[in-house]
Amino acid sequence: MNLKKLNPGLLWMQFEDVLAPRLGLSVKERAVYSYLLRHSLVVGKPRLQFAVIALARTLGLSFGAARQAVRRLDELGALRVLERSKRGHLAEMRVPEKIRAIRLHKNDALEALGAAAEPAASTHETTDFLKTWALRKAIHDRERGACFYCFRRTSGKVRCLDHVVPRVRFGPNSYRNLVSCCIECNTRKGDRPAPDFLRTLYRLGRLTPAELDARLRALKDLAAGKLRPALPENGK
Ligand SMILES: [Zn+2]
């Protein structure tokens, strides 16, 4: 990419209209990507060095949330962490049009995110459901267009995947730990345990007593492996 020709207006539109919704970025992930881009490609530098603690402080995030956002952006290919050291992270930023998952949407996205370079996982239990677009879609499809937590209708633009057990607590990218939810729930839940968050929704009047019971049961079924999404046909 020719950095001198970077068009900030176009970049901003690509970020808001394509990258964030298509990758299902949370508000925190948007903030982190936007901030890091501002201090790298926007000023003509493909790479930047930053400390997660300083990033968190600047953006008003917890350390865990900032670290989680950087990790997820790395997994999605929106940036590449090249080095972690005492001085912090050294990362290479990607503009939306250079992110393979975006360029090669749908079928070709199977090759995106580096998945093609690794052997295909064929069973539910060994599959990383954040790995490809098709696998992430399988989780969204399982919830049938409703937020797992609050039942609100979700669409491609207003949904994301949430780790029931947060990644900061080592929650895996398993179908037993990932749910499709609305952006508001994803943001409000943060790093809290899911049952606590459901009870908060109940206290706020967003869930009826019966719905709360149903959601708490669904959480148990999820962890027990009873809510298996349909795997994409080629196993990826
Ligand atoms: Zn929700």
Side-chain angles (χ1 to χ4, degrees):
M1 186 190 56
N2 185 344
L3 289 176
K4 282 174 191 154
K5 285 189 182 167
L6 190 71
N7 176 337
L10 178 66
L11 182 64
W12 191 10
M13 285 191 282
Q14 286 174 336
F15 169 62
E16 286 291 337
D17 301 350
V18 182
L19 179 132
R22 208 166 277 178
L23 295 186
L25 298 187
S26 69
V27 172
K28 292 172 188 176
E29 288 154 1
R30 284 175 185 232
V32 167
Y33 179 79
S34 177
Y35 176 86
L36 293 178
L37 207 62
R38 152 72 184 86
H39 292 280
S40 57
L41 295 174
V42 172
V43 290
K45 292 190 292 190
R47 295 174 175 188
L48 86 163
Q49 184 106 37
F50 64 94
V52 174
I53 186 97
L55 174 72
R57 212 175 289 139
T58 305
L59 296 177
L61 297 174
S62 69
F63 175 72
R67 187 177 56 180
Q68 187 180 353
V70 171
R71 239 181 244 174
R72 180 150 187 264
L73 290 168
D74 187 0
E75 284 171 9
L76 293 170
L79 57 82
R80 188 58 61 208
V81 175
L82 302 170
E83 192 184 296
R84 286 188 194 85
S85 69
K86 280 184 193 160
R87 289 181 301 154
H89 286 55
L90 176 66
E92 188 171 270
M93 298 301 296
R94 305 240 165 89
V95 290
E97 66 196 41
K98 293 285 175 186
I99 297 173
R100 297 194 72 210
I102 306 272
R103 284 197 347 234
L104 309 174
H105 200 38
K106 298 251 174 179
N107 298 332
D108 289 346
L110 292 172
E111 287 174 37
L113 312 182
E118 294 176 28
S122 56
T123 71
H124 279 81
E125 302 307 324
T126 54
T127 297
D128 177 341
F129 277 84
L130 285 189
K131 200 92 189 168
T132 65
W133 179 87
L135 286 166
R136 292 194 297 276
K137 182 173 180 296
I139 300 288
H140 286 302
D141 288 350
R142 183 189 62 192
E143 262 72 271
R144 297 192 180 124
C147 171
F148 182 86
Y149 298 115
C150 75
F151 289 117
R152 187 193 301 194
R153 300 305 299 168
T154 57
S155 72
K157 288 192 175 171
V158 296
R159 68 186 184 187
C160 46
L161 292 179
D162 184 66
H163 285 80
V164 173
V165 176
R167 211 183 311 231
V168 289
R169 294 178 212 270
F170 307 106
N173 299 340
S174 156
Y175 75 97
R176 297 173 184 238
N177 192 46
L178 288 171
V179 296
S180 173
C181 71
C182 68
I183 290 170
E184 190 185 335
C185 282
N186 179 257
T187 307
R188 292 174 68 150
K189 175 172 168 283
D191 296 341
R192 270 189 292 173
D196 289 1
F197 175 64
L198 287 172
R199 290 187 190 99
T200 303
L201 289 178
Y202 167 66
R203 279 196 296 275
L204 293 171
R206 297 274 301 277
L207 291 176
T208 65
E211 286 172 340
L212 173 64
D213 278 353
R215 291 298 81 197
L216 290 171
R217 261 201 317 276
L219 271 182
K220 283 188 184 154
D221 287 348
L222 183 78
K226 292 180 187 171
L227 306 182
R228 290 158 74 104
L231 283 175
E233 268 175 19
N234 60 3
K236 288 181 180 177

